């Protein structure tokens, strides 16, 4: 029986961190979701206030189903707030809405990492889906090749798969400054506009900090998966 130690070494630690980060987000949001804002403002109202304060008039605020499925789509200029955020007056909900508003502000000012992440979306989606499969397929076919010219073709397939997957990993890495910056903008504008009091800001900071860890874990998982794939392909090539 073959034991793949590479998964345990390069991927499993990041997977465990992802599980821990996810639990932290749920616990943090649940805790501060019970703390209602002193001004009785909903997440949707907070987003509207913050966007107006930053001169954003062309972004539509929409309601979507689910919990913590909030997102901002720069292509359609739609800020979507979930069931747990849209109508809630908790400081957790307002914090999440402010974070997504932070993305809208990034879009307005042309924040570099956000622009780069948007450009990477098509190739990252394709790379994460087909990159590893192409790399492994090239290895398998290369192991059966009898001619040097054929082997070179299969090696090229492997290299293309690795490059595609590397592009998806880059997407996860670029996402980190985008998310951290959005949270910093959120905390700043919440304070500057007086949407939340100084006593309420620390609770929001804890919710956003916990959420940031999920992006760190996702990036580490992607990086670990790429390293694992490089180790596997390198090991196979050395055995030829």
């Amino acid at each position: 029986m073959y034991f793949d130690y590479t998964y345990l070494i390069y991927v499993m630690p990041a997977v465990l961190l992802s599980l821990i980060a996810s639990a932290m987000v749920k616990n943090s949001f649940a805790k501060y979701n019970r703390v209602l804002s002193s001004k009785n403002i909903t997440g949707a109202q907070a987003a509207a206030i913050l966007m107006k304060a930053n001169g954003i008039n062309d972004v539509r605020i929409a309601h979507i189903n689910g919990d913590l499925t909030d997102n901002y789509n720069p292509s359609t200029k739609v800020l979507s707030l979930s069931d747990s955020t849209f109508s809630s007056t908790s400081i957790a909900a307002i914090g999440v809405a402010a974070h997504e508003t932070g993305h809208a502000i990034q879009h307005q000012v042309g924040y570099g990492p956000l622009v780069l992440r948007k450009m990477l979306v098509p190739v990252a989606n394709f790379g994460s889906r087909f990159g590893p499969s192409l790399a492994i397929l090239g290895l398998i076919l290369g192991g059966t090749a009898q001619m040097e010219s054929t082997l070179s073709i299969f090696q090229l397939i492997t290299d293309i798969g690795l490059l595609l997957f590397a592009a998806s990993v880059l997407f996860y890495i670029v996402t980190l400054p985008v998310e951290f910056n959005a949270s910093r903008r959120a905390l700043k504008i919440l304070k500057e506009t007086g949407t939340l009091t100084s006593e309420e800001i620390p609770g929001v900071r804890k919710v956003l900090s916990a959420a940031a860890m999920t992006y760190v874990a996702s990036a580490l998982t992607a990086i670990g998966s790429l390293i694992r794939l490089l180790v596997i392909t390198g090991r196979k090539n050395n055995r030829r």
Side-chain angles (χ1 to χ4, degrees):
M1 181 180 293
Y2 174 72
F3 178 72
D4 184 12
Y5 71 90
T6 60
Y7 185 82
L8 291 178
I9 295 176
Y10 300 111
V11 182
M12 183 57 73
V15 171
L16 293 176
L17 179 60
S18 295
L19 294 175
I20 294 172
S22 179
M24 289 174 58
V25 171
K26 291 179 180 178
N27 291 337
S28 181
F29 187 86
K31 177 180 178 180
Y32 291 101
N33 198 39
R34 295 191 291 268
V35 180
L36 303 183
S37 67
S38 58
K39 296 187 177 181
N40 198 37
I41 296 172
T42 66
Q45 290 172 332
I49 291 171
L50 299 179
M51 283 195 291
K52 182 178 181 180
N54 283 273
I56 301 176
N57 303 307
D58 57 349
V59 172
R60 181 171 65 89
I61 300 173
H63 174 253
I64 57 172
N65 296 326
D67 291 328
L68 298 180
T69 52
D70 313 84
N71 65 88
Y72 170 69
N73 189 329
S75 298
T76 59
K77 290 193 173 183
V78 175
L79 194 156
S80 300
L81 300 179
S82 64
D83 295 330
S84 56
T85 304
F86 190 88
S87 300
S88 174
T89 60
S90 72
I91 63 172
I94 292 174
V96 171
H99 174 87
E100 298 305 329
T101 303
H103 288 312
I105 297 173
Q106 289 174 336
H107 186 204
Q108 181 193 43
V109 300
Y111 181 61
L114 180 68
V115 175
L116 177 58
R117 186 176 73 167
K118 183 180 178 181
M119 293 171 58
L120 286 171
V121 169
V123 66
N125 288 339
F126 187 85
S128 62
R129 184 174 181 181
F130 298 108
S133 299
L134 279 176
I136 298 301
L137 178 63
L139 279 179
I140 294 174
L141 295 176
T144 64
Q146 301 298 320
M147 299 175 61
E148 189 66 28
S149 58
T150 305
L151 179 61
S152 298
I153 293 174
F154 294 145
Q155 180 61 54
L156 178 61
I157 293 175
T158 297
D159 292 342
I160 291 174
L162 290 172
L163 286 173
L164 285 173
F165 189 61
S168 70
V169 173
L170 179 60
F171 173 84
Y172 283 102
I173 294 174
V174 172
T175 292
L176 293 178
V178 173
E179 297 300 332
F180 285 132
N181 180 265
S183 290
R184 286 195 293 269
R185 291 177 188 271
L187 293 169
K188 181 180 179 181
I189 58 180
L190 283 171
K191 186 175 181 179
E192 289 178 347
T193 59
T195 305
L196 291 181
T197 66
S198 57
E199 291 78 15
E200 295 168 330
I201 293 294
V204 172
R205 181 177 288 107
K206 291 180 179 179
V207 172
L208 297 182
S209 295
M213 285 304 299
T214 63
Y215 294 104
V216 173
S218 295
L220 290 176
T221 300
I223 293 171
S225 297
L226 177 59
I227 294 174
R228 173 176 177 254
L229 197 56
L230 289 170
V231 169
I232 291 174
T233 53
R235 189 172 62 199
K236 295 288 186 181
N237 287 331
N238 289 334
R239 288 178 180 175
R240 288 172 180 169

